[in-house]
Amino acid sequence: MDANSLVRGLAAIGAGIAVLAAVGPGISEGMCAASAVSSVGRNPDAYKKIRSTMLLGCALTETSALYGLLIAILLIFADVLFVFNNVLNVILCVA
């Protein structure tokens, strides 16, 4: 096994782990929507305030899932060996 295959394999594993960051926001957004529907059912007059608060909370929660997706895409499509070699050269030149 050469270093190229090892780094690409580890990048794929890291991308898979990064995508798991979407599990938490998915669960929390579902719970948020369920609570909002329940609240509107109990107090229909407050639906505007409940809806705006729910949408803001879902938008803020979704950002963590998008960051995980961004990291996964960068790990898969960025040339990790180029970055790795440049970092290694910088470390060796400084030392």
Side-chain angles (χ1 to χ4, degrees):
M1 177 186 297
D2 60 337
N4 187 6
S5 300
L6 180 66
V7 171
R8 295 227 184 255
L10 291 175
I13 291 172
I17 292 171
V19 170
L20 288 177
V23 172
I27 292 171
S28 65
E29 286 176 16
M31 291 172 57
C32 177
S35 297
V37 168
S38 175
S39 298
V40 169
R42 282 183 270 139
N43 190 3
D45 294 334
Y47 79 95
K48 288 183 180 179
K49 192 170 190 174
I50 293 169
R51 183 184 61 192
S52 62
T53 305
M54 180 196 70
L55 289 176
L56 179 63
C58 286
L60 292 174
T61 304
E62 190 66 28
T63 57
S64 62
L66 290 175
Y67 288 142
L69 178 65
L70 175 69
I71 296 298
I73 290 172
L74 285 175
L75 283 172
I76 291 173
F77 293 113
D79 191 5
V80 292
L81 290 177
F82 177 73
V83 173
F84 178 72
N85 286 334
N86 283 344
V87 170
L88 189 60
N89 288 336
V90 168
I91 291 173
L92 292 177
C93 290
V94 171

